[in-house]
Short mmCIF file of all heavy atoms in Angstrom, two decimals:
data_model
loop_
_atom_site.label_atom_id
_atom_site.label_comp_id
_atom_site.label_asym_id
_atom_site.label_seq_id
_atom_site.Cartn_x
_atom_site.Cartn_y
_atom_site.Cartn_z
N ASN A 336 2.44 0.50 -12.01
CA ASN A 336 2.85 0.87 -13.38
C ASN A 336 3.98 1.91 -13.37
O ASN A 336 4.30 2.47 -14.40
CB ASN A 336 1.64 1.42 -14.16
CG ASN A 336 1.04 2.66 -13.51
OD1 ASN A 336 1.56 3.18 -12.53
ND2 ASN A 336 -0.07 3.14 -14.05
N GLY A 337 4.54 2.17 -12.19
CA GLY A 337 5.66 3.09 -12.10
C GLY A 337 5.26 4.55 -11.93
O GLY A 337 6.10 5.44 -11.95
N HIS A 338 3.95 4.80 -11.73
CA HIS A 338 3.56 6.21 -11.57
C HIS A 338 4.08 6.79 -10.25
O HIS A 338 4.28 6.06 -9.28
CB HIS A 338 2.05 6.44 -11.74
CG HIS A 338 1.18 5.93 -10.64
ND1 HIS A 338 -0.13 5.53 -10.84
CD2 HIS A 338 1.38 5.78 -9.31
CE1 HIS A 338 -0.66 5.17 -9.70
NE2 HIS A 338 0.23 5.31 -8.76
N ASN A 342 1.05 10.76 -11.76
CA ASN A 342 1.65 10.92 -13.09
C ASN A 342 1.78 9.55 -13.74
O ASN A 342 2.71 8.79 -13.44
CB ASN A 342 3.02 11.59 -12.97
CG ASN A 342 2.90 13.03 -12.51
OD1 ASN A 342 2.46 13.89 -13.26
ND2 ASN A 342 3.27 13.27 -11.26
N GLU A 343 0.82 9.25 -14.59
CA GLU A 343 0.74 7.94 -15.21
C GLU A 343 1.79 7.80 -16.31
O GLU A 343 2.34 8.81 -16.79
CB GLU A 343 -0.66 7.73 -15.80
CG GLU A 343 -1.80 7.79 -14.78
CD GLU A 343 -1.92 6.53 -13.91
OE1 GLU A 343 -0.89 5.89 -13.61
OE2 GLU A 343 -3.06 6.21 -13.52
N PRO A 344 2.10 6.56 -16.72
CA PRO A 344 3.07 6.37 -17.81
C PRO A 344 2.72 7.24 -19.01
O PRO A 344 1.55 7.36 -19.39
CB PRO A 344 2.92 4.88 -18.13
CG PRO A 344 2.52 4.26 -16.83
CD PRO A 344 1.61 5.29 -16.18
N GLY A 345 3.76 7.85 -19.59
CA GLY A 345 3.54 8.73 -20.74
C GLY A 345 3.48 10.20 -20.36
O GLY A 345 3.56 11.07 -21.22
N THR A 346 3.35 10.50 -19.07
CA THR A 346 3.33 11.90 -18.63
C THR A 346 4.70 12.54 -18.92
O THR A 346 5.74 11.92 -18.65
CB THR A 346 3.07 12.00 -17.11
OG1 THR A 346 1.85 11.31 -16.81
CG2 THR A 346 2.95 13.45 -16.65
N SER A 347 4.67 13.76 -19.42
CA SER A 347 5.93 14.45 -19.75
C SER A 347 6.75 14.70 -18.48
O SER A 347 6.21 15.10 -17.44
CB SER A 347 5.61 15.78 -20.43
OG SER A 347 6.75 16.58 -20.43
N PHE A 348 8.05 14.50 -18.60
CA PHE A 348 8.93 14.81 -17.48
C PHE A 348 8.93 16.32 -17.18
O PHE A 348 9.37 16.74 -16.13
CB PHE A 348 10.36 14.34 -17.78
CG PHE A 348 10.56 12.86 -17.66
CD1 PHE A 348 11.57 12.22 -18.37
CD2 PHE A 348 9.78 12.09 -16.81
CE1 PHE A 348 11.78 10.85 -18.24
CE2 PHE A 348 9.98 10.72 -16.68
CZ PHE A 348 10.99 10.10 -17.40
N ASP A 349 8.46 17.13 -18.13
CA ASP A 349 8.41 18.58 -17.91
C ASP A 349 7.12 19.04 -17.23
O ASP A 349 6.91 20.23 -17.04
CB ASP A 349 8.47 19.33 -19.27
CG ASP A 349 9.78 19.10 -19.96
OD1 ASP A 349 10.78 18.86 -19.26
OD2 ASP A 349 9.80 19.15 -21.21
N SER A 350 6.25 18.10 -16.93
CA SER A 350 4.91 18.49 -16.46
C SER A 350 4.95 19.18 -15.10
O SER A 350 5.78 18.86 -14.24
CB SER A 350 4.01 17.25 -16.37
OG SER A 350 4.61 16.27 -15.56
N HIS A 353 -1.19 19.29 -12.98
CA HIS A 353 -2.10 19.16 -14.12
C HIS A 353 -3.20 18.15 -13.79
O HIS A 353 -3.12 17.41 -12.81
CB HIS A 353 -1.33 18.72 -15.37
CG HIS A 353 -0.66 17.39 -15.23
ND1 HIS A 353 0.47 17.19 -14.47
CD2 HIS A 353 -0.98 16.18 -15.73
CE1 HIS A 353 0.83 15.93 -14.51
NE2 HIS A 353 -0.04 15.28 -15.26
N ILE A 355 -5.06 14.74 -14.81
CA ILE A 355 -4.65 13.49 -15.48
C ILE A 355 -5.83 12.52 -15.52
O ILE A 355 -6.62 12.48 -14.58
CB ILE A 355 -3.44 12.86 -14.72
CG1 ILE A 355 -2.87 11.64 -15.46
CG2 ILE A 355 -3.79 12.45 -13.32
CD1 ILE A 355 -1.66 11.93 -16.28
N GLU A 358 -5.25 5.66 -15.27
CA GLU A 358 -5.22 4.40 -16.00
C GLU A 358 -6.17 3.42 -15.32
O GLU A 358 -6.38 3.48 -14.11
CB GLU A 358 -3.81 3.80 -15.96
CG GLU A 358 -2.87 4.47 -16.90
CD GLU A 358 -1.72 3.54 -17.32
OE1 GLU A 358 -1.48 2.52 -16.65
OE2 GLU A 358 -1.08 3.86 -18.34
N ILE A 384 5.66 16.06 -12.74
CA ILE A 384 6.95 15.41 -12.50
C ILE A 384 8.04 16.46 -12.28
O ILE A 384 8.88 16.32 -11.39
CB ILE A 384 7.29 14.45 -13.66
CG1 ILE A 384 6.28 13.29 -13.63
CG2 ILE A 384 8.73 13.95 -13.55
CD1 ILE A 384 6.44 12.26 -14.71
N THR A 416 12.76 6.65 -18.64
CA THR A 416 11.73 6.72 -19.66
C THR A 416 10.40 7.20 -19.11
O THR A 416 10.00 6.80 -18.00
CB THR A 416 11.54 5.34 -20.34
OG1 THR A 416 10.34 5.37 -21.12
CG2 THR A 416 11.45 4.20 -19.33
N GLU A 417 9.73 8.02 -19.91
CA GLU A 417 8.41 8.51 -19.49
C GLU A 417 7.41 7.36 -19.40
O GLU A 417 6.34 7.51 -18.81
CB GLU A 417 7.93 9.60 -20.47
CG GLU A 417 8.72 10.89 -20.30
CD GLU A 417 8.36 11.99 -21.28
OE1 GLU A 417 7.61 11.74 -22.24
OE2 GLU A 417 8.86 13.13 -21.09
N ASP A 418 7.75 6.19 -19.96
CA ASP A 418 6.85 5.03 -19.85
C ASP A 418 6.82 4.48 -18.42
O ASP A 418 5.90 3.77 -18.04
CB ASP A 418 7.31 3.90 -20.79
CG ASP A 418 7.15 4.30 -22.24
OD1 ASP A 418 6.34 5.21 -22.51
OD2 ASP A 418 7.85 3.71 -23.09
N ILE A 419 7.88 4.78 -17.66
CA ILE A 419 7.93 4.38 -16.24
C ILE A 419 8.34 5.62 -15.46
O ILE A 419 9.54 5.87 -15.23
CB ILE A 419 8.94 3.22 -16.01
CG1 ILE A 419 8.68 2.08 -17.01
CG2 ILE A 419 8.84 2.71 -14.56
CD1 ILE A 419 9.71 0.95 -16.94
N PRO A 420 7.37 6.45 -15.09
CA PRO A 420 7.70 7.78 -14.53
C PRO A 420 8.72 7.76 -13.40
O PRO A 420 9.56 8.66 -13.31
CB PRO A 420 6.34 8.30 -14.07
CG PRO A 420 5.36 7.65 -15.01
CD PRO A 420 5.91 6.27 -15.26
#
Side-chain angles (χ1 to χ4, degrees):
N336 60 5
H338 71 208
N342 292 289
E343 299 284 33
T346 305
S347 165
F348 284 154
D349 295 332
S350 55
H353 62 286
I355 186 99
E358 283 206 342
I384 293 179
T416 167
E417 288 177 351
D418 293 339
I419 310 175

